[in-house]
Amino acid sequence: VAPNQSKYGQLATEFRECVVAPPGYTICEFDYRSFHVLTLGYEAQDADYIRLARLDPHSYLAANLLGLPGCKTCLSLPDDELRVYLNAVKENHETVRNKQAKPAILGYGFGMGAGKLFELNPEAFSSFVEAANTLDMLNHVFPRTAQYRLDSPELAHRNRVLFSKFGCPRWFMNVKTWD
């Protein structure tokens, strides 16, 4: 079992070409859609974040980044109508969705700050401020998830371990130590 390997970019393509199954074996790839987004929503107990994880969080953020009509009220739509709205965003705004919203949502789930988000995605964000505004937007729309993101590092620092809702330990040794 290997961790997820990126599919995007020249380096990712070259790396994936290096991974070869030994004779008699087959490499299988499994990808549960929006798993990290769903997990964050579950851990934060944020029903809206969980709902979007199941529909399309990247298109939702893209709609908000672009200030598209309906972006501020679309969460009040029933799932079937929201899915139509998000599909239209996905079809018509692919670049913002995939190059900006997607890395922001994934970074947000991993506790990434604006500096790291900008540093790792310089082609997606014109400045540190733009990356920070993107994370601030997510914090504003999802206050429960934002609070979880603030509380988790403090608990990890203090206790050196966090337990998931399923009782699985995640160990931390140097949460607030920079080398």
Side-chain angles (χ1 to χ4, degrees), residues 32-96:
Y32 188 87
R33 182 179 157 186
S34 295
F35 178 78
H36 293 295
V37 184
L38 190 58
T39 301
L40 175 58
Y42 182 80
E43 290 291 329
Q45 298 179 347
D46 188 330
D48 285 334
Y49 206 76
I50 291 169
R51 179 178 179 225
L52 273 175
R54 292 185 170 132
L55 295 172
D56 186 349
H58 313 305
S59 294
Y60 174 78
L61 179 56
N64 280 271
L65 290 172
L66 294 165
L68 297 179
C71 69
K72 302 294 184 215
T73 58
C74 68
L75 283 179
S76 65
L77 297 171
D79 283 0
D80 57 339
E81 292 178 34
L82 181 54
R83 190 173 286 113
V84 169
Y85 178 84
L86 297 174
N87 282 340
V89 173
K90 184 176 183 176
E91 290 174 16
N92 296 310
H93 304 283
E94 181 180 357
T95 301
V96 171

Side-chain angles (χ1 to χ4, degrees), residues 142-157:
F142 302 106
R144 290 187 79 132
T145 299
Q147 190 62 52
Y148 177 82
R149 282 177 35 117
L150 286 174
D151 294 345
S152 295
E154 291 301 321
L155 285 170
H157 174 71

